[in-house]
Amino acid sequence: LSSSNGANGAAVLAQKALDAIAQAITIDDHDLFITSSLGVTLFPVDASSPDQLIKNADLALYRAKAEGGHRFQFFLEQMNAEVLQKKSLERELRRAIERAELSLVFQPQFSIGGGRPVGAEALVRWQHPERGPIPPKAFIPVAESTGLIRPLGRWVLEEACRAIRRGLDAGQELAVGVNLSAAQLRHGDFAASLRELIAESGIPPDLLEIEITESLLFEPSNDAIAEMLRRIAHLGVRLAVDDFGTGYSSLAYLKRFPVHKIKIDQSFVRDIGRDTDDDMIVTAMVNLAHSLGKRVIAEGVETERQLQFLRELGCDEVQGYVLARPMPEAALRELVARH
Ligand code: C2E
Ligand code: CA
Ligand code: CA
C-alpha cells in the first residue's frame, strides 16, 4: 500500500480492504465468508527499493497470518533480525543432528494406584556447544517450518526404539512415548518406515507410543491423516492424544480414531483445587475417556493435592514434577530398578 497520509492513512485503508473482503458473498443461497490478511510497509520509511518493499510487506503478511489472520500488520525492523536469527538457528540445527548434539531425556509416567513407573515420555534436548542448552520450544517450531523436523523426528524415533530395546535387555519392560509432528505424518510412507524401524530394533510394537496433538487429530476432513493413524495402530503401536482439551475436543473424532490413551493437558491440571471449572472439566474428561474405553494420563502434575484429586477420580496414570522430572536414560533405569 502506498499512502500519502503516512502510517495512519495506511492503517485506515488496510482496515477498509479487510472489511470489504469480509462481506459475505451469496452463491446459490449459501453465504460464503472470506477472510484475508494484510502486510503493510511504508515508503520511504521502511525501504526505498521495490524489491525490499515487497519483502517487507511479505514478512508483515506472514506475521498477520501467524497471529490468526483477518488482520493487518505493519512491517517492523525487528522482523528482519528475526528472519536472520531463524536462518542461523536452522543452519545450526542441521549441524546439530549430524554432530550428535541432540539427546533424549525420559520423564517417567506412573500408574496412579501402585505408584509404579509404567512408561516414560521421550523429550528431545539440544546442547549447543556455545549457546548451551536450547529448549525444544525454541527449536521444534523452526524444525517444523523448515522440514528439518523429518530427520530430527526420525532420529528421536530411532533413539527411543533403541532405549526400549536396552530396557528390555536390562529386564525392564517400559513403554516409551514419542512426540510426533504433523509434518512427519504427511511426508512419505510414515507407517512403512515405522514398521521397518520396529522390526530392526526388535521391540514389541505396543511398547512404542506415538503422541499426537489433538489439533492434528481434529483437522477437518483430513482423511490421509486418519488413514495413516489407522495403519500405525494396525502395526500394534499405541496412539496417545497429547494436550487433550486445548483443541477442538470432539467425542465423534475420539471414537473415529484408534486412540489408546488421552493426555490431559497441564493447563487443566494446574488449577485443580483452585478453579472449580477446571475440577469439573478434568472430571468430565476422565469419565468421557473411560466410557470410550481409553486410558487417561494427567500431565504436569506438580502437587500432592493434584495427585490426590486425580487418584480419587480414577485417572489411570500421572506424569509431572511432583513424581519425577525428565531425566537421562541411566537415571530412568535406576528409578525403575528401585521400584
Ligand atoms: P509436551 O509434549 O507437552 O511435553 C511436556 C512438557 O512439559 C515437557 O517440556 C516437560 O518437561 C514439561 N513438564 C513435565 N512435567 C511438568 C510439570 O509437572 N510441570 C511443568 N510446568 N512442566 C512439566 P519440554 O521437554 O520442554 O518439551 C516441550 C515441548 O516440546 C513438548 O511438549 C513437545 O511439544 C515438544 N517436544 C519435545 N520433544 C519433542 C520431540 O522429540 N519431537 C517433537 N515433535 N516435539 C517435541
Ligand atoms: Ca507430549
Ligand atoms: Ca503435552
Side-chain angles (χ1 to χ4, degrees), residues 121 179 211 213 241-244 263-266 299:
E121 177 174 7
N179 292 286
E211 295 192 6
T213 59
V241 182
D242 206 355
D243 305 339
F244 189 76
K263 298 193 81 175
I264 298 180
D265 190 64
Q266 49 191 65
E299 67 176 335

Side-chain angles (χ1 to χ4, degrees), residues 104-105 107 121-125 135-137 139-140 144 149 152-153 156 178-181 184 211 213 242-243 263 265-266 270 299-302 319-322 324-326:
L104 290 186
V105 288
Q107 186 175 30
E121 177 174 7
L123 295 156
V124 69
R125 293 293 178 262
K137 286 237 163 74
F139 67 86
I140 293 286
E144 283 175 337
I149 193 67
L152 190 155
V156 170
V178 173
N179 292 286
L180 205 76
S181 294
Q184 291 175 265
E211 295 192 6
T213 59
D242 206 355
D243 305 339
K263 298 193 81 175
D265 190 64
Q266 49 191 65
R270 194 176 304 133
E299 67 176 335
V301 183
E302 293 183 348
Q319 173 182 352
Y321 292 171
V322 71
R325 293 189 174 241

Side-chain angles (χ1 to χ4, degrees), residues 205-270:
D206 61 356
L207 287 185
L208 183 63
E209 189 169 85
I210 300 281
E211 295 192 6
I212 46 171
T213 59
E214 193 180 31
S215 50
L216 177 82
L217 203 60
F218 298 147
E219 257 175 52
S221 72
N222 217 328
D223 291 343
I225 285 193
E227 174 59 22
M228 190 61 87
L229 294 179
R230 243 169 250 126
R231 288 179 55 202
I232 293 171
H234 194 68
L235 297 174
V237 172
R238 301 208 152 147
L239 286 172
V241 182
D242 206 355
D243 305 339
F244 189 76
T246 59
Y248 307 94
S249 322
S250 149
L251 280 166
Y253 278 99
L254 267 190
K255 257 184 79 171
R256 238 184 81 190
F257 292 105
V259 169
H260 178 73
K261 195 196 254 182
I262 280 165
K263 298 193 81 175
I264 298 180
D265 190 64
Q266 49 191 65
S267 59
F268 299 101
V269 175
R270 194 176 304 133

Side-chain angles (χ1 to χ4, degrees), residues 24-41:
I25 306 166
T26 310
I27 296 176
D28 291 342
D29 288 340
H30 294 291
D31 282 340
L32 304 179
F33 296 92
I34 299 172
T35 61
S36 52
S37 306
L38 250 164
V40 187
T41 187

